[in-house]
Structures are given as structure tokens and as C-alpha cells.
């Protein structure tokens, strides 16, 4: 396709999306690869500069694990779930808020945008409660595990996000919440992005991860478009499994709660975000109500 054809194809989408809110969850390899992250941030700034209200939510699990090991603390997982004791929570806050979040804000400035870093503690943005012990299977036996300082979201207070968006800023949210007693809690970034999208009545929720989209059972074909009930069936049948479950679950919940579209996009490939947003065919999976 010629360059002018690409631009012509993008025009109606730019017009359609102008003034709309999009929540983009940054995750996967982009969190540890500086070049990939910088490209993703440049694309997000471009969206903002053409009139889209952009909110970024980021993860950082691998970096938390690396920092813990560097500090001589061995991460503890049970059935794939991280145990977050008080020291682990402090390290998570250090990495998520002190390093990753501030780095993304700097990259936004480098790309010509204006970013403001937040955690869920700021303005009581994300209120959570400590998660109940989880039932897991270990060596074929069911047991209950206390995950520690891990939160389950109870409420989103998006006033601070509206204020920033109205003034042309890109909010950058780290997945740390606060409970009603002022205690910080680690929360799932996919879930946080979904709940924020719902609270803002966002037009789109985009999950940028390490896979090309939602795939069939043979892992050879990417579904370009799925209805919510089809995505639910794929989760129920086990086609969508493991780490994709919280991602797709948050997208399904968001669409069921009024967000117009959810997307799964491979963030490791340069400009996939723009190709998914501004081309007819797209490059990932789009989830819609019907």
C-alpha cells in the first residue's frame, strides 16, 4: 500500500476517534525493552496529538522479580501467584512507581507530549480491599493461599483522570491501590486498566502484550474480531488460558459494562497500536458486544 493510501485509510478513523477516551495497558516485553517501550509511547503520544484522550496503565512483574533478586530476596510464587509480603510490596512500589512510571512520563515528554505519573493512591484513584485467601492446586491437592498485600478493586474514583485529560495531559497509572485504612496494595494491571476504562466510559480498552491476538486452539490463526460471547466461550473451553485469562476477562467485562471495543495487540512490533487503530483490517483481535 502506498503512503498516501495509508494516510487516506487512517483519516475516517482519526475523525471517528477525535475526543474519545482510550485506555491502553502496556505490558509484556515492552516493560523490559527500552526501544520497544519508546516506540509504543511515541505512538500513544501521536494518538493524543490527533485528539484522542489517552490513559496509560502499565505492569511490571518481571522487573519486580529482577529487582527482588538483585536485592537478595527470592520471589515466592504458589501455583503461579506471587506472594506479596511487606518487603515485596515496598520493592513493587519502588519499581512500579519510582522507576517504570517515571520512565514512561519521561518518554512522553521526549516524544512531545505531557504525561503525569500516578498510582492508585493518588486522589484515591483506585480503592481496593485485601484479597481473600485463594484456593489453588499444588501437587494435585487443593489448598488455600494468602497472597499477602494483594488487592481486589472495590472502587475507581476517576476525577483526577478527568482533570488531567481535560487539560491535555496523558495520565500514566501504576497498579498500586489503597485500601480504606490507607494501606497500599499490589493489584493486577490488566484488571486495573479494565476498571479504569469502565469508570471513564472509554471508547476503547487496548491491551498491548506479547502475542499477536487471541488465537484458535491450534495457535495458528488470530481471530480479528470476536463477540463477547465468543470470547467467553474460548475462555470456558480452555482455548484462552493462563496469562491471557485476566487480559481477556478485563476486556470482556469492560465491553459488557459499556466500553465500545476491546483489543489485544502485540506490542513488540513497532507501530502495531497505530495499525490496529487506523486501518480497516487491523493487526490484533477486537472484541465487541455484537
Amino acid at each position: 500500500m502506498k503512503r498516501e493510501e495509508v494516510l487516506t485509510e487512517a483519516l475516517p478513523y482519526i475523525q471517528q476517534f477525535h475526543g474519545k477516551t482510550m485506555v491502553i495497558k502496556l505490558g509484556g516485553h515492552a516493560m523490559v525493552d527500552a526501544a520497544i517501550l519508546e516506540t509504543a509511547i511515541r505512538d500513544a503520544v501521536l494518538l493524543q496529538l490527533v485528539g484522542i484522550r489517552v490513559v496509560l496503565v502499565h505492569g511490571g512483574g518481571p522487573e519486580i522479580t529482577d529487582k527482588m533478586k538483585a536485592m537478595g530476596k527470592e520471589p515466592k510464587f504458589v501455583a503461579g501467584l506471587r506472594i506479596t509480603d511487606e518487603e515485596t510490596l515496598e520493592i513493587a512500589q519502588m519499581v512500579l512507581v519510582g522507576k517504570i512510571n517515571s520512565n514512561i512520563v519521561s518518554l512522553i515528554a521526549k516524544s512531545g507530549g505531557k504525561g503525569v505519573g500516578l498510582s492508585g493512591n493518588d486522589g484515591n484513584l483506585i480503592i481496593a480491599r485485601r484479597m481473600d485467601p485463594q484456593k489453588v492446586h499444588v501437587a494435585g491437592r487443593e489448598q488455600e493461599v494468602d497472597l499477602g498485600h494483594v488487592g481486589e478493586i472495590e472502587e475507581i474514583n476517576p476525577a483526577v483522570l478527568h482533570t488531567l485529560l481535560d487539560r491535555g495531559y496523558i495520565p500514566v497509572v501504576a497498579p498500586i491501590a489503597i485500601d480504606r485504612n490507607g494501606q497500599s496494595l499490589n493489584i493486577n494491571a490488566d484488571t486495573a486498566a479494565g476498571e479504569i476504562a469502565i469508570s471513564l466510559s472509554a471508547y476503547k480498552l487496548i491491551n498491548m502484550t506479547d502475542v499477536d491476538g487471541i488465537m484458535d486452539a491450534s495457535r495458528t490463526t488470530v481471530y480479528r474480531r470476536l463477540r463477547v460471547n465468543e470470547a467467553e466461550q474460548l475462555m470456558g473451553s480452555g482455548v484462552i488460558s493462563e496469562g491471557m485469562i485476566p487480559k481477556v476477562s478485563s476486556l470482556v467485562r469492560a465491553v459488557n459494562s459499556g466500553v465500545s471495543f476491546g483489543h489485544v495487540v502485540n506490542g513488540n512490533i513497532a507501530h502495531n497500536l497505530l495499525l490496529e487503530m487506523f486501518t480497516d483490517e487491523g493487526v490484533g483481535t477486537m472484541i465487541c458486544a455484537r
Side-chain angles (χ1 to χ4, degrees):
M1 184 181 290
K2 296 179 180 179
R3 291 182 182 181
E4 62 269 23
E5 291 174 346
V6 172
L7 294 171
T8 302
E9 187 175 333
L11 179 59
Y13 292 106
I14 293 172
Q15 293 171 322
Q16 178 185 349
F17 299 156
H18 187 85
K20 300 285 201 309
T21 299
M22 296 189 187
V23 176
I24 301 169
K25 191 271 178 167
L26 299 168
H29 197 58
M31 294 294 95
V32 294
D33 188 308
I36 292 173
L37 181 60
E38 183 166 353
T39 298
I41 297 305
R42 287 182 64 193
D43 290 350
V45 170
L46 189 152
L47 295 181
Q48 198 260 347
L49 291 175
V50 298
I52 295 168
R53 293 157 63 91
V54 175
V55 177
L56 299 178
V57 181
H58 65 83
E63 283 218 23
I64 294 170
T65 298
D66 290 345
K67 177 60 74 173
M68 289 178 68
K69 291 179 178 178
M71 296 176 70
K73 182 175 177 64
E74 190 63 31
K76 185 177 179 183
F77 294 87
V78 177
L81 301 174
R82 185 192 298 273
I83 306 299
T84 304
D85 59 18
E86 192 163 335
E87 187 179 5
T88 300
L89 178 64
E90 290 179 4
I91 295 170
Q93 290 178 292
M94 183 192 312
V95 171
L96 293 170
V97 181
K99 182 181 179 184
I100 296 176
N101 194 277
S102 61
N103 181 44
I104 291 172
V105 171
S106 296
L107 289 172
I108 290 171
K110 182 179 178 181
S111 299
K114 300 183 297 181
V116 174
L118 303 164
S119 76
N121 295 3
D122 294 308
N124 290 340
L125 172 59
I126 306 174
I127 296 177
R129 65 177 183 85
R130 186 160 167 159
M131 191 175 286
D132 294 331
Q134 300 294 293
K135 290 183 178 179
V136 299
H137 287 86
V138 179
R141 297 178 61 184
E142 185 178 84
Q143 65 183 65
E144 282 195 346
V145 176
D146 184 353
L147 299 180
H149 297 282
V150 175
E152 200 167 42
I153 296 172
E154 288 188 326
E155 184 182 345
I156 303 288
N157 297 306
V160 66
L161 299 180
H162 284 298
T163 298
L164 292 170
L165 291 167
D166 289 345
R167 285 160 174 74
Y169 293 95
I170 299 176
V172 183
V173 183
I176 297 290
I178 191 168
D179 71 12
R180 298 188 189 278
N181 297 314
Q183 169 68 51
S184 292
L185 295 166
N186 198 6
I187 55 172
N188 182 280
D190 296 314
T191 305
E195 296 305 308
I196 287 170
I198 293 167
S199 75
L200 292 171
S201 300
Y203 188 68
K204 288 180 181 287
L205 168 62
I206 303 128
N207 196 305
M208 297 184 69
T209 184
D210 286 339
V211 297
D212 291 332
I214 299 172
M215 297 184 179
D216 63 3
S218 66
R219 300 293 188 266
T220 57
T221 301
V222 175
Y223 295 105
R224 293 298 176 207
R225 187 182 181 102
L226 288 171
R227 294 190 296 272
V228 161
N229 66 311
E230 293 172 329
E232 290 172 331
Q233 289 168 7
L234 291 172
M235 285 191 288
S237 66
V239 172
I240 296 172
S241 61
E242 299 178 349
M244 284 297 291
I245 291 176
K247 302 180 192 308
V248 178
S249 294
S250 69
L251 293 166
V252 165
R253 173 169 159 72
V255 173
N256 278 334
S257 302
V259 174
S260 297
F261 301 98
H263 298 257
V264 179
V265 179
N266 190 337
N268 295 333
I269 300 174
H271 309 305
N272 260 2
L273 176 61
L274 302 181
L275 292 171
E276 178 72 1
M277 295 300 98
F278 296 141
T279 64
D280 296 336
E281 187 175 347
V283 293
T285 301
M286 183 171 73
I287 298 174
C288 53
R290 57 183 183 273

